[in-house]
């Protein structure tokens, strides 16, 4: 491991900092309100000092750093809106999020505040301070500080509308859990534990919901094609029709915002601060990936169709909802990988502990369990850990990994506290929706992926500047470290450390090898279908469309190998259209970089300390203190390239 602590993880605190004190079984409604409003008030006090205090750059930037820290602390209200079991707390958190965004928008258009920063000299500032100043001035311009009064008023209105529409979009998805009811015999093909967990109700029928622990196994293993079709259609109509108009309104707000700020389109505004640079570059990237994957995708689909024809002679098409099922059959019959056998090696509790052990060994981290009474968390199922490095506590994490009513429906890492050296410990929350029993291997991969964000948040949260704390790189890079960590969920030696069945037998090396071979199947389809999602994300934002369902179907026909699902309105539940806006391409863009990053590791020694330490120190531990391209070059010793991704696609 590197021994330069300043390079490694910023300025490690010389004395332990205390984590945020959460109310536990106390009054969350009052705490959430007082915490959010108190941090906003603190931010306002620091901003007032910036505007009226000393004019030397060091003092101004240090004061601004405290203001940004308080704003980030108030922004944690977004987390409570997504995870708290009390609807009243979720609603209050939504209100606070609106207050925070209004405050931030007003700051961005405050000409007196802008004049303070515009008048600062960068002479004598260190690199970090210069970068803060440059980014701050850029933010002011992107907020419209240089526009006339009427334009700035309209931009403020649009910002407030956008926040409310985003909240509505997410809430409609979160609250709309749908289900189908089927006769027990229609669960044929599903694992015993799944069927045992889904008994028939008083009407003799079994309820299968659109939540992931119900959805994914059913779409993978259920033999009844009509039942799978019914569930797929139900899932692809979550939040329909409510979110159709909400999304149209949100897209209109974004288009007008970009226009008022002088950009040709929202993607041009959005990409200005991303690695990719321009909106047109997104379109070009989508075409490049689509072209590169077309032949492989067609071959993959041919294999699926041939397998479907065994069940349905004369079939001439594979539907999008059939990919999981026939992909599973192909892997079972042609690659000797039975998903129902594989999952027996992945009980949830073992996987969670295994993940901690693997990442601890890889990055030199210590994970110390923290009881709920001490952590003060919002639900009994949340598991908390203090994060240690070289014997010093450097953060705390919270794992909220199972579904419940009113909770965020997908998988993501949320900031609770952004770390600032000497001031506050980084705390992150992993929010997922996994089974409490056996996990599918792709769920294990997802858990590794999402945990990668959490590690990045903590390791990158040790520096001086809030602006660059944690996962603070360009948004189209943030998935790359997480996608790279997925590789450890495919390594036989790594899996052998925690993947054991009920008899205590370790997952066989031959089975892992077969799983890896089987994983090669379908990557062409994956790349092509990802581009159909990326195309929706980009083209929905690039210009107005009266019928998002019809336009989305057109884009799917253009980029995916699967035809659209008739009667579906998947854009209404496509949550990334809010958070990622025009940038869903990020996942594949980051995968290109992730494959390149992984090329530096030795597949025969996945825990090699020299390369793992260098990666931890030069990429994760740097947060956003450098541009992402520079972080990658610092680690690889060269600029990133497509070569590793191209080789992966061809395997």
């Amino acid at each position: 491991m590197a021994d330069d602590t300043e390079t490694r993880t910023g300025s490690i605190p010389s004395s332990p900092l205390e984590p945020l004190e959460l109310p536990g079984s106390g009054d969350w409604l009052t705490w959430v309100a007082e915490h959010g409003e108190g941090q906003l008030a603190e931010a306002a006090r620091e901003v007032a000092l910036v505007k009226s205090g000393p004019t030397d750059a060091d003092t101004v930037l240090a004061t601004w750093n405290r203001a940004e820290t308080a704003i980030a602390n108030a922004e944690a209200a977004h987390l409570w809106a997504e995870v708290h079991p009390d609807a009243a707390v979720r609603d209050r958190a939504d209100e606070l999020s609106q207050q925070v965004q209004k405050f931030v928008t007003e700051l961005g258009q405050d000409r007196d505040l802008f004049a303070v920063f515009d008048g600062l000299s960068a002479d004598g500032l260190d690199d970090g301070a210069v970068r803060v100043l440059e980014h701050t001035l850029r933010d002011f311009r992107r907020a419209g500080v240089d526009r006339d009064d009427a334009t700035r008023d309209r931009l403020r209105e649009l910002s407030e509308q956008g926040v409310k529409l985003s909240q509505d979009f997410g809430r409609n998805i979160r609250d709309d859990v749908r289900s189908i009811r089927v006769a027990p015999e229609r669960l044929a093909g599903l694992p015993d534990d799944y069927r045992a967990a889904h008994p028939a109700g008083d009407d003799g029928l079994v309820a299968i919901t659109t939540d992931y622990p119900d959805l994914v196994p059913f779409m993978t293993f259920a033999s009844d094609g009509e039942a799978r079709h019914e569930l797929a259609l139900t899932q692809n109509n979550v939040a329909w029709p409510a979110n159709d108009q909400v999304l149209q309104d949100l897209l209109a707000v974004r288009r007008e915002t970009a226009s008022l700020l002088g950009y040709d389109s929202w993607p041009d505004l959005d990409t200005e601060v991303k690695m990719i640079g321009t909106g047109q570059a997104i379109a070009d990237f989508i075409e490049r990936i689509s072209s590169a994957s077309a032949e492989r995708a067609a071959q993959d689909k041919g294999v699926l169709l041939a397998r479907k024809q065994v069940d349905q002679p004369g079939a001439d098409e594979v539907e999008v909802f059939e990919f999981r099922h026939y992909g599973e059959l192909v892997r079972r019959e042609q690659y000797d990988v039975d998903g129902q056998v594989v999952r027996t090696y992945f009980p949830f509790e073992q996987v969670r502990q295994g993940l901690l052990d693997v990442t601890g060994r890889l990055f030199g981290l210590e994970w110390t369990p923290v009881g709920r009474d001490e952590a003060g968390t919002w639900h009994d199922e949340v598991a908390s850990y203090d994060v240690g490095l070289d014997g010093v506590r450097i953060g705390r994490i919270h794992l909220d990994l199972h579904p419940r009513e009113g909770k965020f429906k997908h998988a993501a890492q949320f900031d609770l506290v952004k770390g600032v050296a000497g001031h506050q410990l980084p705390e992150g929350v992993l929010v997922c929706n996994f089974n409490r029993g056996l996990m599918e291997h792709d769920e294990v991969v997802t858990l590794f992926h999402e945990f990668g964000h959490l590690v990045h948040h903590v390791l990158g949260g040790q520096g001086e500047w809030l602006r660059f704390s944690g996962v603070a790189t360009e948004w189209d890079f943030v998935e790359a470290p997480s996608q790279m960590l997925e590789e450890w969920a495919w390594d036989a030696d790594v899996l052998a450390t925690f993947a054991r069945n009920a008899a205590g037998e370790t997952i066989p090396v031959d089975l892992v090898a077969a799983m890896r071979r089987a994983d090669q199947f379908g990557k062409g389809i994956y790349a092509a279908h990802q581009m159909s999602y990326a195309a929706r994300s980009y083209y929905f934002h690039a210009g107005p469309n009266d019928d998002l369902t019809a336009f989305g179907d057109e884009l799917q026909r253009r980029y995916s190998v699967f035809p659209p699902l008739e009667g579906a309105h998947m854009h209404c539940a496509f949550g990334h259209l809010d958070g990622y806006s025009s940038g869903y391409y990020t996942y594949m863009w980051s995968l290109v970089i992730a494959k390149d990053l992984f090329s530096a590791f030795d597949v025969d020694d996945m825990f090699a300390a020299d390369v793992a330490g260098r990666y931890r120190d030069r990429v994760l531990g740097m947060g956003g203190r450098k541009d992402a391209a520079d972080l990658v070059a610092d680690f690889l010793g060269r600029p990133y390239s497509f070569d590793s991704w191209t080789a992966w696609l061809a395997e």
Side-chain angles (χ1 to χ4, degrees), residues 488 491 598-608 610-611:
W488 276 257
D491 182 79
F598 186 63
S599 69
F601 286 80
D602 182 355
V603 294
D604 294 323
D605 186 5
M606 296 281 278
F607 293 101
D610 55 346
V611 65

Side-chain angles (χ1 to χ4, degrees), residues 178-190 194 205-210 214-236 312 319 321-322 325-326 565:
R178 302 192 181 188
S179 63
I180 64 172
R181 299 189 70 80
V182 298
E185 58 267 22
R186 301 185 75 185
L187 272 63
L190 283 152
Y194 185 97
L205 300 178
V206 177
I208 307 295
T209 74
T210 53
D214 275 10
L215 177 76
V216 173
F218 198 92
M219 299 305 297
T220 304
F221 299 117
S223 303
D224 190 322
E226 283 304 313
R228 283 186 277 108
H229 184 189
E230 184 181 352
L231 183 59
L233 195 57
T234 300
Q235 192 268 334
N236 277 277
Q312 301 178 35
E319 302 292 341
F321 65 87
E322 296 179 312
H325 180 68
Y326 284 109
L565 177 59

Side-chain angles (χ1 to χ4, degrees), residues 240-424:
W240 163 265
N243 267 355
D244 189 63
Q245 189 58 53
V246 172
L247 182 57
Q248 285 282 25
D249 293 344
L250 183 58
L251 294 170
V253 163
R254 289 171 174 171
R255 284 194 299 271
E256 186 178 352
T257 298
S259 177
L260 289 174
L261 289 171
Y263 295 85
D264 291 337
S265 69
W266 174 267
D268 286 323
L269 169 63
D270 189 39
T271 55
E272 182 186 34
V273 293
K274 291 182 168 62
M275 294 181 75
I276 204 165
T278 68
Q280 182 59 46
I282 298 178
D284 294 343
F285 179 74
I286 291 171
E287 296 302 325
R288 179 175 185 175
I289 297 298
S290 296
S291 177
S293 61
E295 182 178 354
R296 182 68 180 266
Q299 292 172 355
D300 290 344
K301 186 179 180 182
V303 174
L304 290 179
L305 180 58
R307 178 57 187 83
K308 181 178 177 179
Q309 288 168 341
V310 173
D311 294 343
Q312 301 178 35
D316 59 2
E317 185 57 87
V318 179
E319 302 292 341
V320 63
F321 65 87
E322 296 179 312
F323 173 52
R324 278 188 177 273
H325 180 68
Y326 284 109
E328 166 65 19
L329 292 180
V330 167
R331 284 186 287 272
R332 184 186 306 169
E333 297 166 4
Q334 299 184 25
Y335 295 92
D336 197 26
V337 177
D338 185 340
Q340 296 204 38
V341 173
V342 171
R343 67 196 295 273
T344 64
Y345 292 97
F346 296 110
F348 170 79
E349 296 289 347
Q350 282 179 202
V351 172
R352 184 177 65 184
Q353 185 58 50
L355 171 67
L356 296 171
D357 294 341
V358 167
T359 51
R361 179 180 173 189
L362 182 64
F363 298 121
L365 299 173
E366 305 126 22
W367 309 102
T368 303
V370 180
R372 191 191 178 199
D373 288 345
E374 180 182 348
T377 51
W378 51 98
H379 195 273
D380 288 340
E381 288 191 318
V382 177
S384 304
Y385 300 85
D386 279 341
V387 189
L389 178 64
D390 297 336
V392 176
R393 179 170 60 185
I394 63 167
R396 177 172 286 183
I397 63 169
H398 307 277
L399 307 182
D400 188 349
L401 302 181
H402 304 304
R404 61 179 176 270
E405 184 179 354
K407 182 187 165 188
F408 180 76
K409 295 301 176 190
H410 303 293
Q413 182 259 323
F414 289 80
D415 296 346
L416 175 54
V417 179
K418 286 180 177 289
V420 179
H423 181 63
Q424 59 187 31

Side-chain angles (χ1 to χ4, degrees), residues 26-97:
D27 183 355
W28 274 89
L29 189 60
T30 299
W31 184 89
V32 167
E34 291 181 348
H35 179 71
E37 291 171 351
Q39 289 299 309
L40 272 179
E42 174 65 19
R45 286 191 291 271
E46 297 294 348
V47 169
L49 289 175
V50 170
K51 295 170 69 173
S52 63
T55 57
D56 65 286
D58 282 319
T59 302
V60 169
L61 292 176
T63 307
W64 182 243
N65 193 43
R66 294 194 297 272
E68 289 200 306
T69 300
I71 292 169
N73 291 342
E75 285 175 334
H78 175 57
L79 167 67
W80 312 126
E82 297 288 4
V83 304
H84 202 278
D86 186 339
V89 174
R90 297 197 299 270
D91 290 345
R92 186 69 181 92
D94 271 340
E95 293 171 1
L96 283 167
S97 293

